[in-house]
Amino acid sequence: MTGLRRARLQRRPLGLLALLLFLISVPAWAPNRFWINVASQALIFAIFAMSLDLLLGYGGMPSFGHAAFFAAGAYACALWALHRSPDLLPLLLVGLAAGAGLALIGALALRARGIFFLMLTLAFAQMVWSVLSNNQLAGTLGGDIGLIGVPRPVLPYVPAVNLFQAANFYFLTLVVAVAVYLALAAIVASPFGRTLEGIRENEGRMQSLGTFTFRYRLAAFVIAGALAGLAGMLSASFNFSATPASAFWTTSGLAMIAVIVGGSRSLLGPAVGAMLVVVLQLGLSSLPTPGLAEHWQLLLGAVFVAFVLFLPGGLHGLVRGRAA
Amino acid sequence: MNISTASVTVRFGAVAALQDVSLEIPSGERRALIGPNGAGKTTLFDVITGARRPTSGRILLAGADVTPLSTWRRARLGLARTFQRSALFPTLTTAENLALAVRARMQTGWRIWPSRMERTVAMEVSSRLRAAGLAALAQRRAWTLAHGEQRALEIELALASQPRLLLLDEPMAGLSGEERQAAVARLRSLPPHVTLVLVEHDLDVVFAVAQRISVLDHGVLIADGTPAEIRADHRVQEVYLGRAD
């Protein structure tokens, strides 16, 4: 072998194992339910950020509308759980399908590249947001309040395990997060993932080598949308609600910050970045100093700018000791 | 694979980059395309590969009209090109650059699960690395390679498509004498059925490689003939050979 894949495999094991053990142990030492819930939120956001990184890092597609697919999963699952059944397995599928389905529509943006792609995806997500928050549709979508009273899912085979309990729900999100990580890691290392990177690096050259690049970009967009929908599903269950804010551009923006702070073109980076963003958001918005807490976005923005200026490779780049 | 262009014209606004260019290159021929800067050589390559649509005229590959086909479809018919300015995958390693080209040819890039084909890909990549003299640089990222190494990779990417028609856009530009010899040798190793079209400013290389030469000037095909005929052609001497380059 020429070491095509060797480099990739070497990077993984140790940090990954340590992170997994740390995550499994959270409910054991978390002082109370509140912190377990913070950890659940962090994991949900990590799934969302990893799905965005498939586009942003590996595919070179700067989507600024990823929240639309998150919201699609959240709303579809909220409706399903409210009107059909709270069984977990169908809910997972509904979340994936809703994200993928909306991504097929949003794929119109794939005609554009770079900043134009960014603006189109942003516009698309804002359209989704305006539909969701439209009070004329309040009868089905709940208008600007959203859908509330969403039940927690029920596990198959072991319905007695109560997902209303913080630790139980946390383990559900952990299992889904690990599954998403493994799926994305496999995709990224596969011939498909490599081709996607080739398209990011030089789309014209891939075409002149005989690759129908649109097909790859579309597939990546739909996969990322489906996984964002899955994160949305968990979010609706976690919050007992799906709200229009989940589709707003700030949600997309936070995910982008998570990917860039964590380091794009790795999966663990954005996952850790997402956890950092959730914890920072919480920490900054509960600062005791009056006046500062309300402006947590400003502080988060400052952190983001610091990362872009001083650590362009993100946390991942710092750990790997490589620039950008 | 034979290639012909039928009355190809490309206009950028009022400027005609190519005017009524009709070329006929039979299968297996080694053809050079020369002409001063701005004569339309690269534009002609763009039109042949599908990177640019002609304002009028048609492109025929192996007798079939491919004018409406996209770049990637023409590539799958056996058309490959190199670029005047290296078009590599800069942050990927040399080996990965070549693997992308090999997978694109085998059409296995779509697979999500690891497959046995990856072994075949890796084996071909190592033999190509050796053939291109890049074996020691397999794990270097393409952007860190020296100019000559990038040009060698540029050519090898096109060769990895196993083309039936290969368009080379100034492959020797900026190469040292030694690198030039290596590149010429690599091109000479092409199977005889491969049609080769070479845009090159180095006339020593042109006269050494080409069986026939076509001359473009200001978008117009002004001469077409054997190297001896081209050397003797007065118009060619006027617009091209006579000028200090």
Side-chain angles (χ1 to χ4, degrees):
Chain A
M1 302 285 281
T2 49
L4 286 179
R5 322 188 64 188
R6 204 190 309 140
R8 259 162 203 270
L9 291 173
Q10 277 170 352
R11 287 192 201 152
R12 277 180 205 158
L14 273 179
L16 189 59
L17 218 87
L19 182 65
L20 186 62
L21 287 175
F22 168 78
L23 290 174
I24 290 176
S25 72
V26 165
W29 50 260
N32 53 38
R33 240 180 34 191
F34 174 81
W35 287 104
I36 299 177
N37 282 335
V38 170
S40 294
Q41 257 178 307
L43 280 182
I44 293 170
F45 201 52
I47 296 171
F48 184 45
M50 284 191 289
S51 76
L52 175 61
D53 191 37
L54 182 67
L55 296 181
L56 193 63
Y58 293 94
M61 293 178 260
S63 170
F64 202 174
H66 211 46
F69 314 114
F70 182 83
Y75 271 81
C77 290
L79 288 169
W80 186 275
L82 283 168
H83 302 301
R84 286 285 177 98
S85 99
D87 288 338
L88 178 68
L89 292 184
L91 273 178
L92 293 172
L93 292 178
V94 167
L96 287 166
L102 190 66
L104 279 175
I105 303 172
L108 285 170
L110 289 174
R111 297 180 59 91
R113 309 282 190 286
I115 189 82
F116 301 103
F117 176 79
L118 186 143
M119 297 308 288
L120 278 178
T121 47
L122 171 62
F124 175 74
Q126 288 301 93
M127 273 163 53
V128 170
W129 170 79
S130 73
V131 169
L132 293 178
S133 52
N134 186 339
N135 281 326
Q136 285 171 335
L137 302 172
T140 41
L141 296 175
D144 48 22
I145 294 168
L147 297 168
I148 51 174
V150 178
R152 286 267 163 103
V154 176
L155 287 175
Y157 311 118
V158 281
V161 175
N162 186 354
L163 288 179
F164 282 86
Q165 292 220 332
N168 289 348
F169 191 85
Y170 172 78
F171 282 120
L172 170 67
T173 60
L174 182 57
V175 168
V176 175
V178 169
V180 167
Y181 169 81
L182 292 175
L184 281 173
I187 289 172
V188 161
S190 73
F192 172 81
R194 314 320 327 271
T195 305
L196 192 63
E197 287 201 87
I199 294 168
R200 173 197 71 210
E201 296 282 299
N202 194 337
E203 184 169 3
R205 189 62 191 255
M206 282 311 292
Q207 284 170 342
S208 50
L209 289 170
T211 306
F212 180 30
T213 55
F214 176 78
R215 187 180 169 197
Y216 290 83
R217 299 172 68 237
L218 176 65
F221 198 70
V222 170
I223 292 170
L227 296 177
L230 193 60
M233 173 263 153
L234 288 172
S235 160
S237 304
F238 175 79
N239 292 310
F240 307 107
S241 64
T243 61
S246 60
F248 202 57
W249 70 268
T250 48
T251 307
S252 304
L254 276 181
M256 263 188 152
I257 291 179
V259 169
I260 292 165
V261 163
S264 61
R265 304 188 197 179
S266 74
L267 292 168
L268 279 188
V272 173
M275 298 178 201
L276 188 72
V277 165
V278 167
V279 171
L280 270 180
Q281 197 179 341
L282 184 76
L284 295 175
S285 59
S286 52
L287 281 177
T289 334
L292 267 186
E294 303 91 273
H295 298 296
W296 64 268
Q297 285 107 328
L298 185 72
L299 298 170
L300 187 65
V303 172
F304 175 64
V305 169
F307 263 93
V308 171
L309 285 180
F310 302 114
L311 266 184
L315 295 171
H316 175 78
L318 182 68
V319 172
R320 295 297 159 208
R322 85 187 149 95
Chain B
M1 189 162 63
N2 61 316
I3 160 90
S4 54
T5 69
S7 308
V8 164
T9 296
V10 174
R11 273 179 218 290
F12 303 121
V15 184
L18 291 175
Q19 257 181 64
D20 205 28
V21 172
S22 293
L23 264 179
E24 187 105 20
I25 305 175
S27 199
E29 186 174 297
R30 309 288 143 113
R31 172 77 59 105
L33 189 59
I34 63 173
N37 284 326
K41 304 180 297 288
T42 297
T43 306
L44 185 61
F45 272 15
D46 285 348
V47 170
I48 292 174
T49 57
R52 188 180 297 288
R53 295 282 141 114
T55 314
S56 63
R58 295 185 309 149
I59 311 293
L60 296 113
L61 278 182
D65 186 356
V66 298
T67 320
L69 294 190
S70 52
T71 306
W72 68 272
R73 283 199 186 278
R74 295 185 204 191
R76 288 215 184 150
L77 294 174
L79 170 59
R81 81 176 284 186
T82 68
F83 293 80
Q84 199 175 350
R85 304 183 61 185
S86 298
L88 307 173
F89 306 104
T91 73
L92 305 184
T93 64
T94 310
E96 278 165 352
N97 267 263
L98 282 170
L100 285 175
V102 173
R103 283 194 208 104
R105 185 191 80 231
M106 294 178 169
Q107 297 183 30
T108 61
W110 189 244
R111 296 175 191 217
I112 283 200
W113 303 112
S115 70
R116 269 181 210 180
M117 293 305 286
E118 280 300 284
R119 276 196 89 86
T120 321
V121 171
M123 276 161 58
E124 182 175 335
V125 167
S126 15
S127 74
R128 288 197 176 278
L129 284 167
R130 263 179 274 122
L134 295 169
L137 307 165
Q139 296 307 315
R140 285 264 300 276
R141 288 173 195 278
W143 68 271
T144 67
L145 300 180
H147 175 77
E149 295 157 357
Q150 290 190 344
R151 294 310 284 170
L153 180 55
E154 172 73 30
I155 292 174
E156 202 57 36
L157 280 181
L159 295 183
S161 315
Q162 292 184 352
R164 295 192 290 155
L165 166 62
L166 176 58
L167 312 180
L168 298 160
D169 200 348
E170 295 192 31
M172 312 290 172
L175 294 191
S176 69
E178 211 172 302
E179 289 166 337
R180 229 162 253 248
Q181 278 175 3
V184 169
R186 186 75 186 115
L187 293 179
R188 284 241 171 88
S189 74
L190 281 175
H193 72 269
V194 176
T195 314
L196 197 80
V197 187
L198 175 71
V199 166
E200 184 53 59
H201 281 303
D202 182 340
L203 294 180
D204 293 339
V205 172
V206 168
F207 287 120
V209 172
Q211 295 163 338
R212 284 182 78 83
I213 299 175
S214 301
V215 188
L216 271 176
D217 184 41
H218 289 98
V220 180
L221 199 61
I222 58 163
D224 200 22
T226 63
E229 287 166 357
I230 294 300
R231 256 191 245 265
D233 191 302
H234 287 294
R235 280 185 75 191
V236 174
Q237 286 175 357
E238 242 168 66
V239 306
Y240 192 68
L241 297 181
R243 263 182 227 170
D245 197 341

